[in-house]
Amino acid sequence: MQYLVAVYGRPAFDHLYPAADHQRRATIDRLLQFDLGTLNRAILDYFDPVIHRGSAPDEAKANVLKQSLDYLDRFLEESGGEFVVGHRLSLADLALLATVSRLEAFNYRTESYQRLHTWKTRLQQTLPYYQECNAEGMAMFKEMLEQKKH
């Protein structure tokens, strides 16, 4: 995503990954790394054994996932805006939204993370391309999970 926006992005989309605002860009990079290295890892570590091996949920891995979601909730608080990096949508919002939305396929509730839940719900309802980009893949993923249960 970083490469595509940097190379093909138009000035109207500079807020997604700004070339000139190095502090905002560094914050976006930090959150993209958090998404990939912490949040995604926590989701995979917790749900993979349950889904693929039928293992009982691991409480330690559940705590790591909860802690990762707490961090994201705190990042939203610290941003001081309606997005993870202030008052404009960024690549970090798009990546984190896709990751957090996956939790719905697992029927994992996010309501206890108030800022995260509000942010996720608002973006899902207001981004004009959210359903187009996510609905089919989510439906397929949910169907796969259902088949594994039986």
Side-chain angles (χ1 to χ4, degrees):
M1 288 189 310
Q2 294 150 300
Y3 172 79
L4 292 173
V5 171
V7 173
Y8 300 107
R10 296 180 296 230
F13 298 109
D14 189 57
H15 62 281
L16 291 173
Y17 195 61
D21 186 344
H22 300 292
Q23 184 174 356
R24 179 174 163 80
R25 190 174 178 129
T27 302
I28 293 168
D29 287 338
R30 177 177 58 89
L31 289 169
L32 288 170
Q33 290 172 16
F34 166 79
D35 176 54
L36 191 58
T38 302
L39 185 57
N40 264 297
R41 176 87 272 144
I43 291 170
L44 287 172
D45 286 349
Y46 178 69
F47 287 106
D48 190 61
V50 174
I51 293 165
H52 296 292
R53 292 188 286 279
S55 304
D58 182 317
E59 193 60 35
K61 291 176 181 177
N63 287 335
V64 171
L65 176 55
K66 290 174 187 175
Q67 184 178 36
S68 298
L69 294 169
D70 281 334
Y71 286 147
L72 180 53
D73 201 58
R74 194 169 322 129
F75 295 153
L76 284 158
E77 178 182 19
E78 292 170 359
S79 79
E82 51 192 289
F83 301 101
V84 291
V85 186
H87 300 285
R88 301 281 315 265
L89 184 70
S90 72
L91 289 183
D93 289 289
L94 299 175
L96 288 162
L97 177 62
T99 300
V100 170
S101 293
R102 274 194 358 233
L103 292 171
E104 293 173 12
F106 298 113
N107 294 317
Y108 191 92
R109 314 283 300 187
T110 60
E111 287 83 356
S112 61
Y113 308 94
Q114 183 181 357
R115 286 172 291 275
L116 185 156
H117 185 71
T118 300
W119 165 84
K120 176 189 72 145
T121 302
R122 183 175 37 78
L123 289 180
Q124 287 174 334
Q125 293 172 352
T126 60
L127 291 176
Y129 39 80
Y130 178 81
Q131 286 301 319
E132 178 186 346
C133 293
N134 290 285
E136 185 178 341
M138 285 291 283
M140 289 171 54
F141 189 59
K142 284 181 180 180
E143 184 178 323
M144 180 201 73
L145 292 176
E146 284 300 316
Q147 288 175 0
K148 290 211 176 258
K149 287 181 184 176
H150 305 291

mmCIF file with all atom_site columns, all heavy atoms in Angstrom, residues 53-65:
data_model
loop_
_atom_site.group_PDB
_atom_site.id
_atom_site.type_symbol
_atom_site.label_atom_id
_atom_site.label_alt_id
_atom_site.label_comp_id
_atom_site.label_asym_id
_atom_site.label_entity_id
_atom_site.label_seq_id
_atom_site.pdbx_PDB_ins_code
_atom_site.Cartn_x
_atom_site.Cartn_y
_atom_site.Cartn_z
_atom_site.occupancy
_atom_site.B_iso_or_equiv
_atom_site.pdbx_formal_charge
_atom_site.auth_seq_id
_atom_site.auth_comp_id
_atom_site.auth_asym_id
_atom_site.auth_atom_id
_atom_site.pdbx_PDB_model_num
ATOM 1  N N   . ARG A 1 53 ? -6.968  -26.985 14.382 1.00 0.00 ? 53 ARG A N   1
ATOM 2  C CA  . ARG A 1 53 ? -6.669  -28.197 15.142 1.00 0.00 ? 53 ARG A CA  1
ATOM 3  C C   . ARG A 1 53 ? -7.764  -28.555 16.145 1.00 0.00 ? 53 ARG A C   1
ATOM 4  O O   . ARG A 1 53 ? -7.659  -29.545 16.850 1.00 0.00 ? 53 ARG A O   1
ATOM 5  C CB  . ARG A 1 53 ? -5.327  -28.034 15.856 1.00 0.00 ? 53 ARG A CB  1
ATOM 6  C CG  . ARG A 1 53 ? -4.153  -27.993 14.891 1.00 0.00 ? 53 ARG A CG  1
ATOM 7  C CD  . ARG A 1 53 ? -2.825  -28.032 15.607 1.00 0.00 ? 53 ARG A CD  1
ATOM 8  N NE  . ARG A 1 53 ? -2.449  -26.793 16.270 1.00 0.00 ? 53 ARG A NE  1
ATOM 9  C CZ  . ARG A 1 53 ? -1.912  -25.746 15.655 1.00 0.00 ? 53 ARG A CZ  1
ATOM 10 N NH1 . ARG A 1 53 ? -1.713  -25.769 14.366 1.00 0.00 ? 53 ARG A NH1 1
ATOM 11 N NH2 . ARG A 1 53 ? -1.586  -24.671 16.333 1.00 0.00 ? 53 ARG A NH2 1
ATOM 12 N N   . GLY A 1 54 ? -8.767  -27.694 16.247 1.00 0.00 ? 54 GLY A N   1
ATOM 13 C CA  . GLY A 1 54 ? -9.853  -27.949 17.190 1.00 0.00 ? 54 GLY A CA  1
ATOM 14 C C   . GLY A 1 54 ? -9.431  -27.818 18.641 1.00 0.00 ? 54 GLY A C   1
ATOM 15 O O   . GLY A 1 54 ? -10.084 -28.330 19.543 1.00 0.00 ? 54 GLY A O   1
ATOM 16 N N   . SER A 1 55 ? -8.335  -27.114 18.870 1.00 0.00 ? 55 SER A N   1
ATOM 17 C CA  . SER A 1 55 ? -7.835  -26.924 20.232 1.00 0.00 ? 55 SER A CA  1
ATOM 18 C C   . SER A 1 55 ? -8.757  -26.000 21.017 1.00 0.00 ? 55 SER A C   1
ATOM 19 O O   . SER A 1 55 ? -9.453  -25.165 20.449 1.00 0.00 ? 55 SER A O   1
ATOM 20 C CB  . SER A 1 55 ? -6.435  -26.302 20.209 1.00 0.00 ? 55 SER A CB  1
ATOM 21 O OG  . SER A 1 55 ? -5.551  -27.072 19.454 1.00 0.00 ? 55 SER A OG  1
ATOM 22 N N   . ALA A 1 56 ? -8.705  -26.148 22.335 1.00 0.00 ? 56 ALA A N   1
ATOM 23 C CA  . ALA A 1 56 ? -9.429  -25.220 23.200 1.00 0.00 ? 56 ALA A CA  1
ATOM 24 C C   . ALA A 1 56 ? -8.717  -23.866 23.147 1.00 0.00 ? 56 ALA A C   1
ATOM 25 O O   . ALA A 1 56 ? -7.490  -23.806 22.974 1.00 0.00 ? 56 ALA A O   1
ATOM 26 C CB  . ALA A 1 56 ? -9.447  -25.745 24.628 1.00 0.00 ? 56 ALA A CB  1
ATOM 27 N N   . PRO A 1 57 ? -9.455  -22.768 23.272 1.00 0.00 ? 57 PRO A N   1
ATOM 28 C CA  . PRO A 1 57 ? -8.813  -21.447 23.279 1.00 0.00 ? 57 PRO A CA  1
ATOM 29 C C   . PRO A 1 57 ? -7.763  -21.360 24.392 1.00 0.00 ? 57 PRO A C   1
ATOM 30 O O   . PRO A 1 57 ? -7.973  -21.856 25.495 1.00 0.00 ? 57 PRO A O   1
ATOM 31 C CB  . PRO A 1 57 ? -9.972  -20.485 23.535 1.00 0.00 ? 57 PRO A CB  1
ATOM 32 C CG  . PRO A 1 57 ? -11.181 -21.225 23.064 1.00 0.00 ? 57 PRO A CG  1
ATOM 33 C CD  . PRO A 1 57 ? -10.906 -22.683 23.361 1.00 0.00 ? 57 PRO A CD  1
ATOM 34 N N   . ASP A 1 58 ? -6.634  -20.751 24.060 1.00 0.00 ? 58 ASP A N   1
ATOM 35 C CA  . ASP A 1 58 ? -5.531  -20.581 24.996 1.00 0.00 ? 58 ASP A CA  1
ATOM 36 C C   . ASP A 1 58 ? -5.691  -19.234 25.693 1.00 0.00 ? 58 ASP A C   1
ATOM 37 O O   . ASP A 1 58 ? -5.707  -18.191 25.043 1.00 0.00 ? 58 ASP A O   1
ATOM 38 C CB  . ASP A 1 58 ? -4.213  -20.648 24.222 1.00 0.00 ? 58 ASP A CB  1
ATOM 39 C CG  . ASP A 1 58 ? -2.988  -20.523 25.101 1.00 0.00 ? 58 ASP A CG  1
ATOM 40 O OD1 . ASP A 1 58 ? -2.971  -19.671 26.011 1.00 0.00 ? 58 ASP A OD1 1
ATOM 41 O OD2 . ASP A 1 58 ? -2.032  -21.277 24.854 1.00 0.00 ? 58 ASP A OD2 1
ATOM 42 N N   . GLU A 1 59 ? -5.808  -19.266 27.013 1.00 0.00 ? 59 GLU A N   1
ATOM 43 C CA  . GLU A 1 59 ? -6.060  -18.039 27.785 1.00 0.00 ? 59 GLU A CA  1
ATOM 44 C C   . GLU A 1 59 ? -4.914  -17.024 27.631 1.00 0.00 ? 59 GLU A C   1
ATOM 45 O O   . GLU A 1 59 ? -5.146  -15.828 27.548 1.00 0.00 ? 59 GLU A O   1
ATOM 46 C CB  . GLU A 1 59 ? -6.274  -18.377 29.260 1.00 0.00 ? 59 GLU A CB  1
ATOM 47 C CG  . GLU A 1 59 ? -6.835  -17.233 30.074 1.00 0.00 ? 59 GLU A CG  1
ATOM 48 C CD  . GLU A 1 59 ? -8.197  -16.743 29.573 1.00 0.00 ? 59 GLU A CD  1
ATOM 49 O OE1 . GLU A 1 59 ? -9.007  -17.562 29.095 1.00 0.00 ? 59 GLU A OE1 1
ATOM 50 O OE2 . GLU A 1 59 ? -8.443  -15.522 29.643 1.00 0.00 ? 59 GLU A OE2 1
ATOM 51 N N   . ALA A 1 60 ? -3.679  -17.498 27.571 1.00 0.00 ? 60 ALA A N   1
ATOM 52 C CA  . ALA A 1 60 ? -2.538  -16.582 27.410 1.00 0.00 ? 60 ALA A CA  1
ATOM 53 C C   . ALA A 1 60 ? -2.612  -15.878 26.053 1.00 0.00 ? 60 ALA A C   1
ATOM 54 O O   . ALA A 1 60 ? -2.356  -14.672 25.962 1.00 0.00 ? 60 ALA A O   1
ATOM 55 C CB  . ALA A 1 60 ? -1.226  -17.345 27.554 1.00 0.00 ? 60 ALA A CB  1
ATOM 56 N N   . LYS A 1 61 ? -2.978  -16.632 25.015 1.00 0.00 ? 61 LYS A N   1
ATOM 57 C CA  . LYS A 1 61 ? -3.103  -16.029 23.683 1.00 0.00 ? 61 LYS A CA  1
ATOM 58 C C   . LYS A 1 61 ? -4.308  -15.096 23.618 1.00 0.00 ? 61 LYS A C   1
ATOM 59 O O   . LYS A 1 61 ? -4.278  -14.075 22.921 1.00 0.00 ? 61 LYS A O   1
ATOM 60 C CB  . LYS A 1 61 ? -3.192  -17.118 22.616 1.00 0.00 ? 61 LYS A CB  1
ATOM 61 C CG  . LYS A 1 61 ? -1.879  -17.865 22.469 1.00 0.00 ? 61 LYS A CG  1
ATOM 62 C CD  . LYS A 1 61 ? -1.974  -19.001 21.489 1.00 0.00 ? 61 LYS A CD  1
ATOM 63 C CE  . LYS A 1 61 ? -0.640  -19.725 21.400 1.00 0.00 ? 61 LYS A CE  1
ATOM 64 N NZ  . LYS A 1 61 ? -0.689  -20.867 20.521 1.00 0.00 ? 61 LYS A NZ  1
ATOM 65 N N   . ALA A 1 62 ? -5.362  -15.428 24.354 1.00 0.00 ? 62 ALA A N   1
ATOM 66 C CA  . ALA A 1 62 ? -6.529  -14.539 24.437 1.00 0.00 ? 62 ALA A CA  1
ATOM 67 C C   . ALA A 1 62 ? -6.126  -13.213 25.072 1.00 0.00 ? 62 ALA A C   1
ATOM 68 O O   . ALA A 1 62 ? -6.550  -12.148 24.619 1.00 0.00 ? 62 ALA A O   1
ATOM 69 C CB  . ALA A 1 62 ? -7.649  -15.194 25.235 1.00 0.00 ? 62 ALA A CB  1
ATOM 70 N N   . ASN A 1 63 ? -5.280  -13.288 26.088 1.00 0.00 ? 63 ASN A N   1
ATOM 71 C CA  . ASN A 1 63 ? -4.826  -12.062 26.757 1.00 0.00 ? 63 ASN A CA  1
ATOM 72 C C   . ASN A 1 63 ? -3.959  -11.205 25.842 1.00 0.00 ? 63 ASN A C   1
ATOM 73 O O   . ASN A 1 63 ? -4.031  -9.982  25.877 1.00 0.00 ? 63 ASN A O   1
ATOM 74 C CB  . ASN A 1 63 ? -4.084  -12.397 28.048 1.00 0.00 ? 63 ASN A CB  1
ATOM 75 C CG  . ASN A 1 63 ? -5.031  -12.869 29.124 1.00 0.00 ? 63 ASN A CG  1
ATOM 76 O OD1 . ASN A 1 63 ? -6.217  -12.540 29.131 1.00 0.00 ? 63 ASN A OD1 1
ATOM 77 N ND2 . ASN A 1 63 ? -4.521  -13.682 30.045 1.00 0.00 ? 63 ASN A ND2 1
ATOM 78 N N   . VAL A 1 64 ? -3.133  -11.838 25.015 1.00 0.00 ? 64 VAL A N   1
ATOM 79 C CA  . VAL A 1 64 ? -2.304  -11.095 24.057 1.00 0.00 ? 64 VAL A CA  1
ATOM 80 C C   . VAL A 1 64 ? -3.203  -10.381 23.040 1.00 0.00 ? 64 VAL A C   1
ATOM 81 O O   . VAL A 1 64 ? -2.968  -9.219  22.706 1.00 0.00 ? 64 VAL A O   1
ATOM 82 C CB  . VAL A 1 64 ? -1.286  -12.023 23.358 1.00 0.00 ? 64 VAL A CB  1
ATOM 83 C CG1 . VAL A 1 64 ? -0.578  -11.303 22.220 1.00 0.00 ? 64 VAL A CG1 1
ATOM 84 C CG2 . VAL A 1 64 ? -0.280  -12.559 24.360 1.00 0.00 ? 64 VAL A CG2 1
ATOM 85 N N   . LEU A 1 65 ? -4.238  -11.069 22.566 1.00 0.00 ? 65 LEU A N   1
ATOM 86 C CA  . LEU A 1 65 ? -5.174  -10.441 21.636 1.00 0.00 ? 65 LEU A CA  1
ATOM 87 C C   . LEU A 1 65 ? -5.893  -9.273  22.301 1.00 0.00 ? 65 LEU A C   1
ATOM 88 O O   . LEU A 1 65 ? -5.990  -8.182  21.717 1.00 0.00 ? 65 LEU A O   1
ATOM 89 C CB  . LEU A 1 65 ? -6.191  -11.474 21.117 1.00 0.00 ? 65 LEU A CB  1
ATOM 90 C CG  . LEU A 1 65 ? -7.293  -10.934 20.211 1.00 0.00 ? 65 LEU A CG  1
ATOM 91 C CD1 . LEU A 1 65 ? -6.733  -10.176 19.017 1.00 0.00 ? 65 LEU A CD1 1
ATOM 92 C CD2 . LEU A 1 65 ? -8.212  -12.078 19.761 1.00 0.00 ? 65 LEU A CD2 1
#
